[in-house]
Structure formats: C-alpha cells, structure tokens
Amino acid sequence: MVAAMSFDQAPPISVPLRFFLTAPLFGCAAGLLVALLGGDLLASRWSGPALAATHLLTLGFMLQAMVGATLQVLPVAIGANVWRPRATATITHVGLTAGTLLLVGGFLLELPLLFRIAAPLLVAALAVFILAVGRGLFGGPARGNTVTALRAAVPALAVTGTIGAALAVAFGWGNRWPLMLLTDLHAAWGLIGWGLLLLAGVSFLVVPMFQLTPPYRDWIGRQLPLGLAALLLAWSLAAAAGEPAAALRDALSVLLGFAAIVFAAETLRLQRLRRRKHIDATFLFWRTAMLALIAAVGLALFLVLAGEVPNRSLIEIAVGLALLAGFYVSVITGMCYKIVPFVTWLHLQGRMARPPNMNQFVAEASVIRQLRVHWAALAALAAGLLFPPSLMIGGLLFAVSCAWLELNLAGAARLYGRLSRAAAA
C-alpha cells in the first residue's frame, strides 16, 4: 500500500505552484494560435503551425502541470523526498518555459537556430527533474499502485525527451533521421508512456481521495501500468521494424487502445459509485476527460483497422484534438482545481488556528462557468474540422477557458498569500 500522507514532508508551496500557474498561460497561447491560423492548421498534423500548437499544449500546458503535480505528490503521498526541491523546481521551470517558447518559435518561423537553443535547454530541464525525482522514487521503500505507475512513467519521460532531442537536432542541424518514425515514437512515449501512466498513477490516489469513490480495483492498479509500459515497448520495436512487423504493430495498437479504455471505463465506474452524490465541476471535468479519451481511442483504432480511408489526415487531427484538448486539458484542469486548494490549505495548517475550508479557495460558481466555456470550446473546435471558420471561435473560447483557469488558480494563491501574511503578523 502507498504510505500514509506525510504532510510534514510537503515541499515549499512555491515549488508546485509556479508550474500550476504557468500551465494555463500556454493553453491561452495555444488557443490564440488556433484562432489566428484557423483552417491552416488542418492542412497536415506535420505542418509547422500544427506542431507549434501541439507543443504549446504538450510541453507548455501538460508537462508544466504534470511536473508540478509530481513534485507535490511524491513527498506528501508517497514519502519519496525530491532532491533539493527549490533548486530542482527553479531549474526545471525556467528551462521548460524558455525551451518551449523557443521550440514553438522554431516551428512557426522555421528558424534552425531556435531549435539549436531550445534543445539543450529542454534536455537540461528534463534531466534535472528526472534525476531529482528518480532519486526519491526509486531509492525509497514506498510501495503501491501509484508508486508502480510513477516508476514506469518517469523512465518513459526520459525516452520521450531523448527522442524529442533527436528530432530537435534534426530540425536544427538538418540531420537525416527517420523523422516520421521518430515523431510517432515521440508522440507515443509522451502521450501514453509519460502522460497516461502519470495520470493513471495520480488518479489511483486523487480520485478516491477527492471524489470520495471506492479505490481502483487492485488488478487494474497493479497490472495496467506495467502492461501499458510493456505494450508500448513492444509496439515501438514493431514500429521500428517497419513493414515486416506491420501486422504485429497494429495488433499492439489495439491492445494499447483497449488498456486506455479500461482505465477510462474504470474511472467512470468509480464516479458512479461515489459516496458524495453532489456533482461538482471537478467531477464533470474528469467525466469529460474520460469520455474524450474513449472517443480518441475509438477514432485511432478505426484508422488502424480500416487502413486507407478518405480524409485520413483530418481524422488524425480529430484524434489529436480529442486526446489533447478533450482528455488531457480536461483532466489536468480538474486535477488543478483539487490539488491547488489542497496545497494552499495544507501550508496554512499550523499558521492559523482555523484555516479556510478547501472549497473556499476557488469559488465553485466560477469553476462551473469555466467548465461551460471549456465545453463550448471543445464543441467549436470539433465543428471546425468540418467547418474551418469555427476554429477561430473555438480557439478564442479555448483561450478564454485557460485564462479563466489562470484567474481562479491565481485567486487561490493570492488568498493564501494574504492569509499567510496576516497569520505571520
């Protein structure tokens, strides 16, 4: 079992909070880019603007929030201390932020120099994070399903970063790498190996805790992380083998998709069994995310099983939209609305006789309004696949939704600062 909560081992509040407050800003940038470019993004998922928007979400929104969550969860929930958390957070945050901006600029402006600067910044930031987190994660005695998932996710992040660095070298120096293969491997290891494994591991902890559900069934918690990692490794080898292993690669793709659907279905099942029947915005963000994950996997499996189909490129973009904006942005937003109030409440313990309730740090009415804007953005972006002018509306709504998230989280941080100063005085 995972060790009991170790509140006294929590890192300084600035460690996770800087990542949570930065992530929505990249989401705003992604939405504005979509609104500005509109139908140009539909030309190909390989185009510079499409890759820029993708990395604003993956490196900017997703990775920032996931790094912040990891730095908070490890010491508190698992008892695995992160080496020098302030220094690790500072180096990682600065490197990720600057590297992402440079990389996005490289895609938009097609300037090799920007890739040459971005690559070492991102590699250094990820290396510091992985080494600091790995030291506590693999060196401690903690056990449990969350630990297992994180121990699979962190090496997957290292693989993702290594392949991404190779791609950046190719763009920056013109090396003749097999770009299509490397891009597919980079996406698979980032979205499945790092993203899905990390979110599954955090879900094993936060869904029962914050949504008052039963725990995930033990066979899912034990077998899903290792099964996903093993399937992904086998899929990568089959993809690298090329046409002779195409049938095996497709079969493994189906199994990977099935594993993702099992996680989504189990989460939806637990939500139905929750003890607290009140439906709040966080509950709906998570439900939106799981339905979007099922839709993304369904479309992806259709492409695998159907072979050559008309408008294949458009369907590939729909998969990316459902996975990134529908699943990852939704679930991370819901996660932020629980973790940030929890962190601020936690750090007021011992400073105040009666700190505010966690629900008082972010107004539920404001979160509900942001959720509605998020839903409208997803609907407009989906419609934009068939009617490109609505992409501008979808992009603007997505930017507004992320800006709303930023304001809500910043409000919680401001309340913490005000109460902390008052308590100190």
Side-chain angles (χ1 to χ4, degrees):
M1 297 297 292
V2 175
M5 291 289 180
S6 304
F7 293 153
D8 57 330
Q9 297 189 48
I13 192 171
S14 63
V15 168
L17 210 56
R18 71 187 74 194
F19 295 98
F20 291 130
L21 292 177
T22 302
L25 301 178
F26 280 101
C28 291
L32 292 175
L33 182 62
V34 171
L36 180 65
L37 298 178
D40 292 343
L41 293 172
L42 301 181
S44 169
R45 69 184 179 106
W46 306 102
S47 67
L51 291 172
T54 297
H55 284 83
L56 282 171
L57 289 180
T58 53
L59 274 177
F61 188 96
M62 289 169 48
L63 187 56
Q64 291 271 356
M66 289 175 173
V67 167
T70 303
L71 293 174
Q72 177 65 32
V73 165
L74 282 185
V76 173
I78 298 174
N81 288 324
V82 176
W83 177 79
R84 299 178 67 93
R86 288 183 193 272
T88 296
T90 300
I91 295 171
T92 303
H93 183 253
V94 171
L96 279 181
T97 302
T100 301
L101 292 173
L102 289 166
L103 188 72
V104 169
F107 283 125
L108 290 175
L109 302 176
E110 298 182 356
L111 289 178
L113 176 62
L114 296 181
F115 291 104
R116 295 173 187 174
I117 303 173
L121 279 175
L122 291 170
V123 168
L126 289 177
V128 168
F129 171 73
I130 291 169
L131 290 174
V133 166
R135 183 172 180 265
L137 188 59
F138 290 94
R143 296 290 183 271
N145 296 334
T146 295
V147 179
T148 300
L150 294 181
R151 284 176 176 168
V154 170
L157 177 60
V159 174
T160 304
T162 301
I163 300 173
L167 287 166
V169 168
F171 285 118
W173 283 271
N175 298 60
R176 294 185 176 275
W177 303 111
L179 294 182
M180 300 285 282
L181 172 62
L182 287 177
T183 301
D184 286 342
L185 293 174
H186 179 60
W189 281 92
L191 296 176
I192 300 174
W194 161 248
L196 187 56
L197 277 173
L198 178 77
L199 284 176
V202 174
S203 298
F204 298 156
L205 178 70
V206 302
V207 170
M209 178 191 301
F210 292 130
Q211 299 189 32
L212 300 179
T213 73
Y216 283 78
R217 283 176 285 188
D218 193 51
W219 68 268
I220 291 179
R222 282 185 291 105
Q223 297 177 17
L224 182 69
L226 297 179
L228 271 173
L231 287 171
L232 182 57
L233 179 59
W235 179 89
S236 301
L237 295 174
E243 192 59 33
L248 175 60
R249 180 198 62 208
D250 291 346
L252 291 168
S253 298
V254 172
L255 292 176
L256 281 168
F258 177 74
I261 289 176
V262 167
F263 166 68
E266 175 71 357
T267 304
L268 292 172
R269 185 186 75 88
L270 293 179
Q271 285 191 318
R272 291 199 308 272
L273 300 176
R274 68 195 186 281
R275 297 192 300 276
R276 183 172 179 242
K277 297 304 180 183
H278 172 67
I279 296 179
D280 61 8
T282 299
F283 174 92
L284 294 173
F285 270 115
W286 279 76
R287 175 152 290 188
T288 301
M290 297 306 139
L291 294 175
L293 177 58
I294 292 172
V297 171
L299 287 173
L301 292 182
F302 169 74
L303 289 176
V304 170
L305 299 175
E308 292 300 323
V309 295
N311 299 317
R312 183 180 184 87
S313 177
L314 199 61
I315 299 175
E316 290 175 343
I317 294 174
V319 171
L321 175 63
L323 194 59
L324 296 180
F327 172 58
Y328 278 110
V329 172
S330 298
V331 76
I332 288 172
T333 300
M335 181 178 69
C336 286
Y337 278 133
K338 288 301 184 183
I339 293 181
V340 170
F342 171 75
V343 169
T344 51
W345 170 84
L346 176 62
H347 281 273
L348 287 174
Q349 297 291 311
R351 299 189 181 189
M352 301 178 61
R354 297 180 62 184
N357 185 283
M358 282 175 51
N359 295 329
Q360 294 177 272
F361 284 95
V362 180
E364 177 69 12
S366 182
V367 181
I368 286 288
R369 294 188 191 101
Q370 192 234 320
L371 172 65
R372 291 170 179 162
V373 175
H374 180 65
W375 280 343
L378 294 180
L381 290 171
L385 297 176
L386 299 177
F387 183 64
S390 77
L391 284 176
M392 182 182 72
I393 299 173
L396 290 174
L397 288 172
F398 190 84
V400 169
S401 174
C402 291
W404 210 320
L405 172 62
E406 175 71 15
L407 291 174
N408 286 337
L409 298 183
R414 285 195 302 272
L415 177 58
Y416 164 80
R418 186 166 65 249
L419 294 176
S420 182
R421 289 190 297 271

